[in-house]
Amino acid sequence: MPADDPLKTYREKRNFERTSEPRGETPRTAADQPRFVIQKHDASRLHYDFRIEVDGVLKSWAVPKGPSTNPRERRLAVQTEDHPIEYIDFEGIIPEGEYGAGTMIVWDTGNYRNLKEIPVAEGLEKGQIEIWLVGQKLQGGYVLLRTGQGEDANWLLIKIKDEAANPELDLLKTEPKSVLTGRTLDDIAGEDV
Ligand code: MN
């Protein structure tokens, strides 16, 4: 394993003999169409994990209030450790006592494309990216803008004004289920017997 393994922090936080989360292989080459996922995660505090495929890992942010379709809403997005690509379809229960303990569903997933000239990886270093999501729930442009410094830095997730922008929608409320299995968080929690 190279010293600069981007998944080092991810693995150090977890005991893979206890959690069913993927350990992840070495970073993979990017798919033709990079993907994104938004996982609804009922941990110590409910939040939405926004992850995008960049250079073979999932760059990740925890969004306490979740994504909005209203361009006037600036949603805090706290950057977290890179996750392995295999995490993109993870649903289930992270056991009590483990990092991120609680239930998780795939709230939305799909492809994205870069709206800027510079590569997404470079934009992330500079602190601003603009991407176009083609999800099952979320569509259109989103900006991620860094407002703080260092690891676990604060970013803002903001909807771009385009045809998919809609201040009236509240997809978090109207579309609560997993796009993979149709389950809710409660359904998953209920399976823990
Ligand atoms: Mn989380």
Side-chain angles (χ1 to χ4, degrees), residues 48-76:
Y48 292 78
D49 289 297
F50 183 50
R51 312 186 200 279
I52 61 173
E53 197 173 7
V54 181
D55 292 346
V57 295
L58 294 173
K59 293 288 177 185
S60 298
W61 294 261
V63 185
K65 291 187 174 173
S68 176
T69 54
N70 182 352
R72 289 171 183 269
E73 292 276 343
R74 301 148 70 88
R75 294 284 162 93
L76 174 67

Side-chain angles (χ1 to χ4, degrees), residues 129-157:
I129 62 168
E130 294 181 20
I131 56 178
W132 185 274
L133 304 181
V134 184
Q136 297 182 44
K137 296 174 184 171
L138 293 185
Q139 303 284 334
Y142 278 83
V143 178
L144 265 166
L145 184 66
R146 186 168 58 212
T147 62
Q149 294 294 318
E151 268 187 58
D152 295 341
N154 289 347
W155 295 62
L156 294 171
L157 176 65

Side-chain angles (χ1 to χ4, degrees), residues 8-183:
K8 185 168 179 282
T9 307
Y10 171 85
R11 293 197 183 107
E12 282 173 354
K13 285 174 183 272
R14 292 170 174 80
N15 177 353
F16 295 101
E17 297 189 348
R18 284 184 44 79
T19 183
S20 56
E21 295 164 288
R23 188 173 187 285
E25 302 307 318
T26 48
R28 295 181 173 180
T29 40
D32 290 348
Q33 287 247 47
R35 294 170 294 168
F36 78 94
V37 67
I38 298 173
Q39 282 152 321
K40 187 177 182 183
H41 186 187
D42 189 12
S44 50
R45 191 175 293 179
L46 181 74
H47 62 273
Y48 292 78
D49 289 297
F50 183 50
R51 312 186 200 279
I52 61 173
E53 197 173 7
V54 181
D55 292 346
V57 295
L58 294 173
K59 293 288 177 185
S60 298
W61 294 261
V63 185
K65 291 187 174 173
S68 176
T69 54
N70 182 352
R72 289 171 183 269
E73 292 276 343
R74 301 148 70 88
R75 294 284 162 93
L76 174 67
V78 181
Q79 190 166 17
T80 57
E81 76 276 15
D82 294 349
H83 279 50
I85 294 292
E86 291 91 335
Y87 211 94
I88 204 155
D89 58 2
F90 176 77
E91 291 193 342
I93 300 171
I94 301 168
E96 196 98 17
E98 291 302 297
Y99 180 73
T103 51
M104 184 178 275
I105 56 168
V106 173
W107 183 79
D108 197 15
T109 191
N111 296 109
Y112 78 88
R113 60 187 171 79
N114 184 8
L115 292 173
K116 303 294 264 187
E117 296 282 311
I118 61 169
V120 169
E122 201 179 314
L124 289 174
E125 276 175 33
K126 291 185 169 167
Q128 182 168 351
I129 62 168
E130 294 181 20
I131 56 178
W132 185 274
L133 304 181
V134 184
Q136 297 182 44
K137 296 174 184 171
L138 293 185
Q139 303 284 334
Y142 278 83
V143 178
L144 265 166
L145 184 66
R146 186 168 58 212
T147 62
Q149 294 294 318
E151 268 187 58
D152 295 341
N154 289 347
W155 295 62
L156 294 171
L157 176 65
I158 309 163
K159 180 78 192 80
I160 293 174
K161 286 180 194 162
D162 56 30
E163 63 268 28
N166 185 345
E168 310 299 321
L169 272 185
D170 187 356
L171 293 172
L172 304 178
K173 281 220 174 82
T174 60
E175 304 281 346
K177 293 178 179 175
S178 162
V179 293
L180 296 187
T181 61
R183 294 181 295 178

